[in-house]
Amino acid sequence: MEREALVIGIPEYDNFSSLPKTTIDAEAVATLLEKYGGFRVERLPKKLNPDKTGQTTKADKVTYKQLATALKAFIQRANNKYALIYFTGHGFTEQSLLGRTRGFLCPSDCSIKHNDEGIISSQVNGLDFEELNHSLEQAQFSQLVLLLDCCHSGYFIERYQVENGLKTFLGSKDFYLITACLSSETAKAIISKENSVFSGAVIRGLSQENQDHDGKISASRLFDFIQRELKSRLQEPLHLGSGSSINLLTYGNIESSTPVILDGNGEPQCPYRGLSPFEVEHEKFYFGRRAEVQEIIQKLYCFSFVSIIGASGSGKSSLVKAGLIPHLEDEWHILNSIKPDARPIVNLGQAIGSLFELSCDRKQIIELLEKDGISPVLEMLSKTTLMNSGKQKILLVIDQFEEVFTICVSGKERSQFIECMAAVKAHDNSPLSIVMTIRSEFTHDLFQVYNNLFQRNKDSILWLGQLQGEDLREAIKLPAMNQGYTLEAGLMELLVNDVQAEMNFLPLLEFALTELWDRREKARKELPLRTYMDMNRLSGALDKRAEDVYNDALRTEDERSWIKRIFLELVRFGIQGIDTRERKTRKSLIAMGPTPTEQSVIDKVIEVLIQGRLLASTNEHEIDLVHETLMSGWKRFSKWRKENREDKLLVQQLGDAVTEWQREGDSFLLQGGASKG
């Protein structure tokens, strides 16, 4: 059974006192749920305080909109799954003039007013317990555990679950609710203690010392522990449960909460991706970017155009495909992602046109984009029912946006495409939202030339840094754990140390982990330290693999001469030394051979390189470098790129001029077209 958890710890408030213990409490709970419960945990704020300093900043605030948005997204994501929600922060009750009492969770921007008797009589931006109850009532969880650590939290159970007849859960669901205190009580914190009274009891109750004889901790066992701990603490915890026993954590021989995924040979599938990006279907193996995923989701609720900018190898594509898209699939209609090529307007039209059943409509989309831009297309999308899916939001991912500059040689079409992006961004109620990824090396010119796209609403940009700290460790160890494997003692620290010495490390790390998985110790279910050393560690693993393919799989001089030609053909040389990949069709690469015999050799070489995980083949029969890291990570390839570089650039520019002349017609060069940007 899949397990989803939302862990909320709010330390900073505009109109209430700070609660620095909340982030420490929430992070401790989140870590236990991930490590021993098999939960996929979303944190709010997006990064809880892991160093136990208790120091917080304004960035740790959670507004009502953010809290409500996170709850809504979580409920959708946890559909038909085991769901756990933990909240620690302020809570209060409000009493109207007619005596009606209501309970609230308190976001950072909440404010209250007191009447003459000192009773809270009105509030703004509080999250009503009744509203929370209604949302949970509509959810379709297989199991639910709710832990509330806030003042007056017992009101949730006393009023809305008992007086309203337990309508949310009884008779249809397994659930267990635990609150820190009665509706009339405040939740306590002792200054000298690291954790609050209730959450400290929760953390200790979830520790290994409280496991039963099977190594498990159930929700009811947790409450029994909390109740014993909180005796004579001036607050009384409440609980309410129904259905079968709900297990929270499992110690001892921990098994993944989801079954091991097998490959075609009945072996555990490799949970690492080498130099290839994580795709949607690899969500189970994707770790370390939960904070960034939540930040993008929040930006999508505010902006119709979101840019993810990061260095080559920072994991932009994987973040969108395996991180973002799985969180949106229930609510959004996700179009097939595109990479701009020589005709980006056509790429855009084909993606949007897939929403329409008739080919004439799809053709009309491309014609409209070329003639009138994207505004009339957005009007058409506003009227479509999205093929009766019931989804009112459309998402298009544009991956490797820099290829608009490196592969599209037509300045006119490039400008048309970017103007379409700017129009989506400027549209107040665009039915289409766009998330694009771009290498940071290309942003300077973008910001200068296309400031209508990037300068307005800079908050719509996510700058993606490198994985660090616990996020990095999760990305290394958790994929293997999900497949029943661990890292041999000492390997984690060596990997982390090697990572710190590399700038463009993420592809190299994934590649090294993939190689380790291929040579894993099956009997001990370990990734071995000795093998990592034999691979020449992080910096040498890729070069060693490429050399092995070059020397062992391709034996003749004829084959080796073609491997150089093929790799250089798949490079787009940059004037300032910034080279990028350039996809080519398999047919065009094979056509480099002057005779059928040579063409057969080229075809064989391409296949060997694909099997060796150095090249990738797309569904459109295109061939691509598996990753840009190969250009620097394989020393032989790096040397090839530097040879006669000026000549290569000249040949490339002449080829671009011929391509645009063929598209524009005979008058193109007469009008000075070769110098167009």
Side-chain angles (χ1 to χ4, degrees), residues 303-306 348 352 374-375 378 418-434 453:
F303 307 103
S304 56
F305 188 90
V306 176
L348 179 62
I352 297 175
I374 203 168
S375 294
L378 295 179
I418 293 179
E419 285 303 317
C420 286
M421 302 299 101
V424 170
K425 185 169 186 174
H427 197 289
D428 291 334
N429 296 295
S430 173
L432 174 68
S433 294
I434 292 176
L453 181 59

Side-chain angles (χ1 to χ4, degrees), residues 409 411 657 660-661 664-677:
V409 298
E660 194 161 5
W661 173 72
E664 297 289 340
D666 293 340
S667 63
F668 171 65
L669 290 177
L670 296 176
Q671 296 172 358
S675 63
K676 288 183 180 179

Side-chain angles (χ1 to χ4, degrees), residues 242-306:
S242 178
S244 59
S245 176
I246 301 177
N247 185 55
L248 295 172
L249 307 183
T250 301
Y251 288 92
N253 294 323
I254 306 162
E255 295 183 359
S256 173
S257 61
T258 55
V260 171
I261 297 177
L262 303 179
D263 61 20
N265 298 317
E267 293 286 330
Q269 178 182 324
C270 178
Y272 303 106
R273 294 290 295 152
L275 295 180
S276 300
F278 285 81
E279 303 290 343
V280 175
E281 60 267 26
H282 305 125
E283 177 197 6
K284 179 186 175 184
F285 303 135
Y286 185 71
F287 293 95
R289 292 293 195 186
R290 57 176 170 264
E292 289 82 357
V293 169
Q294 291 307 312
E295 186 172 348
I296 299 170
I297 291 173
Q298 291 171 14
K299 291 180 184 299
L300 279 172
Y301 278 96
C302 302
F303 307 103
S304 56
F305 188 90
V306 176

Side-chain angles (χ1 to χ4, degrees), residues 82 468 588:
Y82 178 165
Q468 298 180 26
S588 68

Side-chain angles (χ1 to χ4, degrees), residues 536-562:
N536 297 332
R537 297 168 65 171
L538 194 68
S539 60
L542 177 56
D543 185 65
K544 187 176 186 304
R545 153 67 72 150
E547 283 298 298
D548 287 346
V549 173
Y550 183 82
N551 291 315
D552 298 337
L554 301 170
R555 298 184 179 278
T556 70
E557 286 302 316
D558 194 22
E559 290 172 344
R560 290 178 182 175
S561 66
W562 279 116

Side-chain angles (χ1 to χ4, degrees), residues 13-16 63-64 92 94 102 104-113 120-128:
Y13 292 83
D14 294 334
N15 303 293
F16 291 75
T63 65
Y64 172 83
F92 64 92
E94 171 207 75
R102 298 162 64 197
F104 294 85
L105 298 179
C106 188
S108 298
D109 57 349
C110 179
S111 61
I112 57 175
K113 289 185 178 180
I120 298 174
S121 57
S122 64
Q123 62 80 36
V124 176
N125 287 335
L127 182 66
D128 194 334

